[in-house]
Amino acid sequence: MRRRRFGAVGAAAFVALALATAPAAAAADVSAHGGVARAGISSSATDGRAEALVSEMATAEQAASIVMGHIPTTDAAALHTYMEQGLGGFILMGANIPATDGELRSLTSALTVDPAIPPLVAIDQEGGLVSRLSTDGFPASTTVKSLPVADTSAAFAARAALVAKAGISVNFGTVADVTSDSSSFIFGRALGTDPQTASERVIAATTAQEQVIASTLKHFPGHGAAPGDSHHAIPETAETIDEWRATDALPFAAGIDAGASLLMFGHLAYTSVDSAPASLSARWHEIARDELGFDGVIVTDDLGMLQSSGIPEYADPVRNAVSAVAAGSDLVLMIAGSTPETAGQIVEGLATAVDSGALPRGRLVDAATRVMSLRLQSTSATTNWAPCSECEPVD
């Protein structure tokens, strides 16, 4: 079977160089050439406009703009209707991925209601163990952790181009957790087995992706120290803040310094710091902002996972969303257990919490402004994908 490679008109030349070192069969579907698509775009260029747009919104509109929703369908019309609620984002899961690349691009296009302010379209495309796109055959965590750092750069540059070609603007793809325990839930997805090697590869993955899409570090403050699977429980660790600063914090600090656009907070309890999960902890949000200097969008891990823990305190997704935003999160993500009505219920709950004083209005405005700024940056960085006539066909 002969396939033509594709190029991104205006995508980063960095990606093309990386693809030259990627496996030929995997690289067949996506390559890039030309100038810079995303690199160099500063949030300062969009912050003013974001503030103005958010100031003109009603409270309910601001609330909707910080919700990243999900429904499991490939029906483009249904997805468009769903996004007419004014949601700030949508996450693609396996049930949203159609059979062909063309259908996927049509689907992601349907998520946009206002072309001037497209939503954040996200995906968990780590590669390897967590992969939504079947055409991603690039090296992933299971192998790059034992390869030179340059291999991580090449793999994630290629992965970012593949994601961008599909019309996706955000990748929840950089696992900054670190552990040397091969029995750990997160071991197979971590990029390193110690803070130093993990940090090096997190920097490489972040730098490569940020040329083309918005990358995300997860799962803050670190799943490696907290045993168990946060999809079904609230993993705990007694690790102290000083121990954390010397170990698990390092890959996150490295990724933040490398320019990651988003930081995903895990449902992990570092009990010596706060008994609450980090996703609902004001103290951990303060550490991320003030100690690590992260100034981008803080996104929760799937709030449905809190419900799945079976802990009564976390049974209400609306309450979880309000608690997360009050603690300092900017974007609330809801997947597990989500229905077409869930996002609207969260929006209503956030707006009601502001009106009652339970959620400070300024906190909602700050969150909405950060999310809006990233949406505007993504708009400025739009890449036009087209067939690459000079690329050689691959058998």
Side-chain angles (χ1 to χ4, degrees), residues 157-226:
R159 186 163 290 122
L162 183 71
V163 168
K165 182 168 77 84
I168 301 166
S169 54
V170 174
N171 189 17
F172 295 148
T174 309
V175 176
D177 309 304
V178 57
T179 180
S180 60
D181 180 3
S182 61
S183 67
S184 169
F185 158 76
I186 207 67
F187 178 83
R189 296 165 58 191
L191 293 174
T193 57
D194 62 81
Q196 179 62 35
T197 60
S199 295
E200 292 170 350
R201 285 159 182 77
V202 165
I203 291 171
T206 300
T207 303
Q209 291 177 91
E210 286 289 335
Q211 307 296 313
V212 183
I213 57 174
S215 71
T216 309
L217 306 171
K218 62 184 186 184
H219 309 78
F220 187 83
H223 212 313

